């Protein structure tokens, strides 16, 4: 299932638990129906695009400057939050492989990894 279709099901299932969420940052996979689902849930959404996505899929006019792709690493707004979180989780060997057969077990190990990261930060100021 595509992200833009699944976000509607997710928001319906967790309606009461997501009341504190008011604004959602999403990548370009949520454009179209995904934006509609989030707005129907009463939340605002902002699509965070990479710089090389601007003008993609459009006919170039004379007024549009030629796009040159960036070389090397390029920081994308708000994307670093997700990548950093996955990096922290990736430090745990248990989460680097698919050992678990149930969703509940995999979710428990993600919680344990998060707690481990928090305790490590509190122990070393």
């Amino acid at each position: 299932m595509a992200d833009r279709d699944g976000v509607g099901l997710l928001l319906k299932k967790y309606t009461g638990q997501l009341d504190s969420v008011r604004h959602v940052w999403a990548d370009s996979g949520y454009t179209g129906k995904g934006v509609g689902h989030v707005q129907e849930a009463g939340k605002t959404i902002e699509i965070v695009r990479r710089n090389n996505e601007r003008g993609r899929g459009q006919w170039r006019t004379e007024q549009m400057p030629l796009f040159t792709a960036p070389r090397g690493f390029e920081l994308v707004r708000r994307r670093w939050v997700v990548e950093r979180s996955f990096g922290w989780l990736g430090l745990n060997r248990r989460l680097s492989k698919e050992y678990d057969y149930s969703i509940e077990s995999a979710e428990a190990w993600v919680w344990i990894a998060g707690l481990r990261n928090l305790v490590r930060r509190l122990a070393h100021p």
Side-chain angles (χ1 to χ4, degrees):
M1 178 179 291
D3 291 345
R4 73 182 113 241
D5 299 327
V7 72
L9 298 173
L10 179 82
L11 290 171
K12 286 178 187 171
K13 183 174 181 177
Y14 296 102
T15 301
Q17 297 174 355
L18 297 175
D19 290 340
S20 63
V21 175
R22 292 179 288 179
H23 187 76
V24 176
W25 287 284
D27 66 4
S28 57
Y30 290 89
T31 55
K33 287 192 261 180
V35 171
H37 291 307
V38 173
Q39 289 173 340
E40 285 174 12
K43 299 170 186 340
T44 59
I45 184 169
E46 178 182 346
I47 302 296
V48 179
R49 298 184 186 278
R50 294 183 181 178
N51 289 335
N52 61 357
E53 288 182 8
R54 293 191 189 111
R56 202 166 84 186
Q58 300 173 356
W59 288 100
R60 184 177 173 274
T61 63
E62 293 295 323
Q63 294 80 21
M64 292 176 71
L66 277 175
F67 175 76
T68 56
R71 296 187 60 142
F73 177 77
E74 183 178 356
L75 183 67
V76 180
R77 282 186 325 114
R78 290 291 172 189
R79 183 74 173 220
W80 64 271
V81 176
V82 175
E83 299 299 334
R84 174 199 62 194
S85 301
F86 284 142
W88 285 337
L89 292 175
L91 293 174
N92 296 278
R93 176 142 174 78
R94 177 72 189 216
L95 296 176
S96 67
K97 307 288 182 215
E98 293 293 328
Y99 293 121
D100 301 309
Y101 292 104
S102 69
I103 297 297
E104 292 82 12
S105 177
E107 183 181 1
W109 281 107
V110 169
W111 277 103
I112 291 168
L115 287 171
R116 181 177 174 227
N117 185 24
L118 182 64
V119 168
R120 189 181 321 126
R121 282 198 215 163
L122 291 173
H124 302 290

